[in-house]
Amino acid sequence: MPYFERSIQKYGIIIDHIYYYSDVLKNYINVRNKSSISKKYLFRRNPKDISVVYFYDPETSEYYEIPYRNSIYPSISIWEYRAAVDSLKKQNINSIDEQSIFDAYQNLEDIEINAVRSTKKMSKNSRRILSKKFNTTNDFLDEINKGIRIPNLNNTDDKQEKETSHPKNDYSHLKPYANLDDEAFNS
């Protein structure tokens, strides 16, 4: 995992415009070394999920999870982060901050979800994106099918189409193995 060296301030730490904080850091806030420069500590971050960084505590020689300071932000990968920052740069937004990054990320995600809905494609990437938005498969299917209308190829009106639609198959009257010959199982 990539690592970063940061000094710990009252607000926590900042890596790539994103704030991280946990109570584990309290003992190390504004600690200075012998030359009165803020001491830097080691942090690691998983590129697949930058919502958490790992703080190496030099006293205990252990790593501790340090989450976003603002817990309402979604977990994102470094690649999604970079796409959001690139989007902000294309819009000529010079003051990049935490809020603008996550707003841009949300805009990009909305664009992608709308594209998936309009094409009704279900690639692996689409499933990953939509799994963040929907809790169950039924929620997803309901959203996908919203507003999608199959074109009428026979040029009949909608009333005829509703009247001739086939009812759902009802198999509740069938019992499993009801018509099987018992002799087939007695060998």
Side-chain angles (χ1 to χ4, degrees):
M1 277 195 272
Y3 73 92
F4 304 87
E5 289 183 346
R6 296 288 189 270
S7 61
I8 300 172
Q9 307 300 319
K10 289 180 183 177
Y11 54 78
I13 64 163
I14 299 175
I15 298 176
D16 293 334
H17 307 287
I18 298 175
Y19 290 82
Y20 297 89
Y21 184 80
S22 176
D23 289 338
V24 174
L25 302 176
K26 279 185 180 180
N27 295 336
Y28 301 100
I29 293 175
N30 292 326
V31 172
R32 307 227 177 246
N33 60 15
K34 293 177 184 176
S35 60
S36 71
I37 298 174
S38 292
K39 187 172 180 180
K40 294 195 176 195
Y41 296 94
L42 182 69
F43 293 87
R44 291 190 179 271
R45 181 173 69 181
N46 182 354
K48 294 178 184 177
D49 180 9
I50 65 169
S51 67
V52 174
V53 294
Y54 300 92
F55 166 63
Y56 180 75
D57 188 337
E59 292 178 6
T60 63
S61 299
E62 292 183 27
Y63 282 95
Y64 294 95
E65 287 187 358
I66 311 298
Y68 292 145
R69 184 178 69 175
N70 190 344
S71 62
I72 65 166
Y73 294 136
S75 64
I76 62 174
S77 71
I78 190 67
W79 302 280
E80 292 168 325
Y81 164 81
R82 288 177 184 158
V85 170
D86 287 344
S87 170
L88 292 172
K89 287 179 181 177
K90 285 179 184 175
Q91 297 172 16
N92 293 325
I93 297 176
N94 295 328
S95 61
I96 296 175
D97 63 348
E98 190 177 38
Q99 185 64 46
S100 64
I101 289 168
F102 286 102
D103 288 345
Y105 167 74
Q106 188 62 47
N107 289 340
L108 292 173
E109 192 175 64
D110 290 345
I111 290 168
E112 199 162 356
I113 287 171
N114 289 335
V116 169
R117 281 185 189 151
S118 66
T119 60
K120 203 176 178 183
K121 236 183 195 176
M122 281 301 298
S123 66
K124 284 183 182 180
N125 193 34
S126 302
R127 287 189 193 106
R128 179 190 58 78
I129 292 164
L130 292 169
S131 68
K132 290 180 184 177
K133 183 100 171 152
F134 304 104
N135 294 333
T136 66
T137 305
N138 291 336
D139 291 344
F140 164 72
L141 292 174
D142 291 345
E143 283 296 315
I144 287 290
N145 292 324
K146 254 188 207 174
I148 296 176
R149 186 168 183 256
I150 299 171
N152 191 349
L153 300 176
N154 298 331
N155 293 330
T156 59
D157 63 345
D158 287 339
K159 290 179 184 176
Q160 274 186 323
E161 189 175 326
K162 288 179 184 176
E163 291 171 4
T164 60
S165 65
H166 299 287
K168 289 185 177 181
N169 294 335
D170 181 22
Y171 299 109
S172 61
H173 64 282
L174 296 178
K175 296 179 182 172
Y177 310 113
N179 296 331
L180 291 177
D181 186 9
D182 289 336
E183 292 176 14
F185 294 103
N186 297 333
S187 299

